[in-house]
């Protein structure tokens, strides 16, 4: 137990660790606003009721490595229409399929500054398949105590009843991975009665930490020079809200988590009632080289730390138009977490965090007798932004800039 005499000295150390970022000599990285294409629903048809046969898999395997994805043929307009068509599962078991139209998008042009991949470096590769999804020293740390759990951005992380994580992206909307609700062939057990869990204190009089931290602590814990685990408090519980409906792109269902399917490993949940928390905005994924420190962040509920919210950040590695490879430490249960970045919003004159991807999970690829390992996130491209935003807003007018 830390002595009272040590507290002032410890607080002084924290102040040194969390100096304002304005002292940094690195240039200010800004969000680049761009015109977003339009993805509109055209025709909806009823589909047979799903069987909900299998448990959700919390990991995803694919035989296609980054080079395989990069050499894949460019998708035509008709390919994209087919991949972005989507299914909607209602809580009453009703299933529909919706065809979509795409407007204001040229599939043969890849000049968007936020969409094109600007990375020329190779991702670090491992030739030994590990039992854990940890690369070297475990760089994760648990966020504990209501001072932190209920504070943005950590408060946007939620847990799904199927075992995955998700991120609040609207007043009643949660972004997660498609494999958390659909295995590529059918909807998983629990998808019809899906619930979303919000971590909350068990009682009102939760003891607070005696150490006073800077008001912008969360800005520095997201990639500061040192990692400081906040004060521990285990008196937390999940409060659950039922999902009203679930949207899954056909690109995932047709791909079955192989090859092209992994590019569409995302889903959106609509809750039955508003959650009353601040949510995180969507953003089009910029090239990794434009991210501050080339760094990405996400928080989720890793299975090896039950009941705890686990935060991590790491340097982004190789990327394709649809996927971002990195070696962020993670365990099953973290998949579905929103991968985000924090950059300067020149229009609003403030720092802004935006969700730029969905953590899909640990990928290992057997190739020529060796095993290559990656942790993979699905990038939010302009078309995916247009689709997810339409699901949230219900119109395209509010989705033209991302």
């Amino acid at each position: 137990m830390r002595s009272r005499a040590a507290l002032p000295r410890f607080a002084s150390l924290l102040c040194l660790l969390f100096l304002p970022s304005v002292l940094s000599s690195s240039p200010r990285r800004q969000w680049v606003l761009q015109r977003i294409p339009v993805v509109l629903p055209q025709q909806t048809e009823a589909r047979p009721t799903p069987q909900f046969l299998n448990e959700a898999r919390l990991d995803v395997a694919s035989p296609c490595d980054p080079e395989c994805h990069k050499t894949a043929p460019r998708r035509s307009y008709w390919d994209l229409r087919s991949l972005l068509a989507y299914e909607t599962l209602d809580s009453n078991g009703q299933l529909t399929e919706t065809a979509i139209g795409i407007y204001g998008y040229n599939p043969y042009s890849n000049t968007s500054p936020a969409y094109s991949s600007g990375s020329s470096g190779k991702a670090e590769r491992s030739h030994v398949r590990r039992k854990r999804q940890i690369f070297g020293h475990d760089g994760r740390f648990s966020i504990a105590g209501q001072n932190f759990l209920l504070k943005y951005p950590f408060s946007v992380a939620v847990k799904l009843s199927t075992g995955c994580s998700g991120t609040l992206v609207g007043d009643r909307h949660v972004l997660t991975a498609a494999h958390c609700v659909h295995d590529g062939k059918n909807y998983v057990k629990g998808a019809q009665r899906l619930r979303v869990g919000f971590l909350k204190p068990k009682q009102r009089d939760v003891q607070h930490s005696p150490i006073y931290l800077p008001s912008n602590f969360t800005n520095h814990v997201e990639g500061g020079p040192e990692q400081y685990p906040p004060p521990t408090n285990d008196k937390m519980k999940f409060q659950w809200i039922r999902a009203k409906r679930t949207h899954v792109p056909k690109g995932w269902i047709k791909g079955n988590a192989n090859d092209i399917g992994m590019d569409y490993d995302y889903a959106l949940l609509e809750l039955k009632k508003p959650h009353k928390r601040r949510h995180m905005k969507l953003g089009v994924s910029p090239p990794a080289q434009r991210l501050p420190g080339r760094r990405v962040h996400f928080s989720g509920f890793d299975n090896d730390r039950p009941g705890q919210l686990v935060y991590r950040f790491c340097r982004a590695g190789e990327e394709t138009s649809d996927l971002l490879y990195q070696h962020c430490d993670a365990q099953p249960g973290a998949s579905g977490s929103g991968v985000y970045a924090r950059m300067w919003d020149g229009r609003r004159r403030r720092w802004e965090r935006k969700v730029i991807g969905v953590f899909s999970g640990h990928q290992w690829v057997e190739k020529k007798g060796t095993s290559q390992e990656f942790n993979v996130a699905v990038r939010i491209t302009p078309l995916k932004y247009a689709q997810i935003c339409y699901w949230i807003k219900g119109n395209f007018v509010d989705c033209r800039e991302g």
Side-chain angles (χ1 to χ4, degrees):
M1 184 174 180
R2 190 180 290 113
S3 66
R4 290 184 178 274
L7 286 177
R9 191 164 59 249
F10 184 69
S12 299
L13 176 61
L14 287 177
C15 291
L16 290 175
L17 290 177
F18 305 135
L19 285 173
S21 56
V22 294
L23 298 182
S24 173
S25 59
S26 60
R28 176 183 288 176
R29 299 300 178 96
Q30 297 193 35
W31 293 108
V32 177
L33 288 180
Q34 59 180 303
R35 199 67 171 165
I36 298 296
V38 174
V39 175
L40 281 181
Q42 290 188 332
Q43 184 177 356
T44 299
E45 298 180 352
R47 286 289 179 261
T49 302
Q51 299 177 4
F52 308 104
L53 295 175
N54 302 316
E55 299 288 343
R57 286 192 56 185
L58 303 185
D59 57 346
V60 177
S62 171
C64 194
D65 64 4
E67 292 305 317
C68 165
H69 280 281
K70 288 181 178 180
T71 56
R74 187 185 294 271
R75 296 159 198 166
S76 69
Y77 169 80
W78 299 105
D79 291 334
L80 293 169
R81 283 192 60 182
S82 176
L83 294 165
L84 290 170
Y86 61 91
E87 289 188 353
T88 301
L89 175 67
D90 288 338
S91 58
N92 63 4
Q94 180 181 356
L95 181 67
T96 60
E97 180 176 330
T98 302
I100 59 97
I102 300 174
Y103 308 93
Y105 179 76
N106 182 359
Y108 302 103
S109 174
N110 196 22
T111 58
S112 167
Y115 178 72
S116 59
S117 173
S119 174
S120 59
K122 299 292 183 183
E124 297 177 12
R125 293 179 177 176
S126 171
H127 299 286
V128 180
R129 185 181 177 188
R130 301 176 176 84
K131 293 182 180 180
R132 301 178 69 219
Q133 301 169 20
I134 306 297
F135 301 90
H137 172 71
D138 190 345
R140 303 171 299 160
F141 63 88
S142 299
I143 304 299
Q146 65 170 332
N147 285 347
F148 301 94
L149 286 168
L150 303 183
K151 187 172 183 178
Y152 184 86
F154 306 122
S155 58
V156 304
V158 293
K159 183 177 178 66
L160 273 60
S161 55
T162 53
C164 291
S165 300
T167 302
L168 302 177
V169 290
D171 293 337
R172 58 172 73 209
H173 291 91
V174 176
L175 184 65
T176 188
H179 74 259
C180 297
V181 295
H182 195 290
D183 63 10
K185 296 180 180 179
N186 211 324
Y187 288 86
V188 302
K189 289 182 179 179
Q192 181 179 351
R193 299 183 178 275
L194 190 63
R195 298 179 301 154
V196 174
F198 297 75
L199 210 51
K200 289 192 173 184
K202 286 186 178 179
Q203 56 191 40
R204 293 179 179 271
D205 54 343
V206 179
Q207 184 178 357
H208 292 263
S209 166
I211 301 174
Y212 295 95
L213 299 177
S215 60
N216 59 348
F217 169 75
T218 53
N219 295 343
H220 300 290
V221 76
E222 295 174 315
E226 297 290 340
Q227 295 180 3
Y228 166 66
T232 301
N233 191 322
D234 296 326
K235 298 179 180 179
M236 305 294 289
K237 67 176 182 179
F238 284 104
Q239 180 180 9
W240 299 90
I241 299 179
R242 286 281 301 276
K244 182 179 179 180
R245 61 176 54 95
T246 302
H247 301 293
V248 180
K250 294 291 287 184
W252 168 258
I253 297 171
K254 293 180 178 182
N256 190 22
N258 290 315
D259 302 331
I260 205 171
M262 182 170 271
D263 295 351
Y264 294 87
D265 188 10
Y266 62 92
L268 188 79
L269 317 178
E270 181 183 344
L271 304 178
K272 287 196 170 183
K273 64 180 182 179
H275 51 72
K276 299 180 181 179
R277 288 191 181 186
R278 180 181 175 186
H279 64 267
M280 192 174 290
K281 295 180 179 179
L282 291 176
V284 174
S285 176
Q289 65 182 9
R290 281 193 42 237
L291 296 171
R294 218 185 150 88
R295 186 175 293 153
V296 292
H297 315 257
F298 63 94
S299 300
F301 294 92
D302 301 48
N303 285 357
D304 65 332
R305 300 187 185 183
Q308 298 183 33
L309 178 63
V310 183
Y311 163 78
R312 78 233 67 204
F313 67 89
C314 70
R315 185 177 172 85
E318 200 166 357
E319 60 189 335
T320 68
S321 294
D322 288 281
L323 300 176
L324 178 64
Y325 297 84
Q326 30 74 23
H327 281 169
C328 283
D329 294 323
Q331 290 283 6
S335 55
S337 301
V339 176
Y340 67 89
R342 179 176 177 267
M343 294 197 291
W344 181 254
D345 187 328
R347 175 181 294 183
R348 294 178 175 84
R349 307 298 299 170
R350 66 185 185 192
W351 293 98
E352 187 85 69
R353 296 175 183 84
K354 293 183 181 181
V355 181
I356 59 171
V358 178
F359 180 58
S360 184
H362 187 73
Q363 179 188 359
W364 60 274
V365 178
E366 295 290 343
K367 192 173 183 180
K368 296 181 180 179
T370 63
S371 176
Q372 299 175 2
E373 290 189 285
F374 316 92
N375 274 340
V376 187
V378 178
R379 299 177 70 190
I380 296 180
T381 64
L383 283 176
K384 293 172 188 173
Y385 179 99
Q387 181 180 61
I388 298 169
C389 183
Y390 188 93
W391 287 340
I392 296 172
K393 305 288 188 181
N395 68 80
F396 71 89
V397 177
D398 296 327
C399 303
R400 296 310 311 274
E401 291 184 345

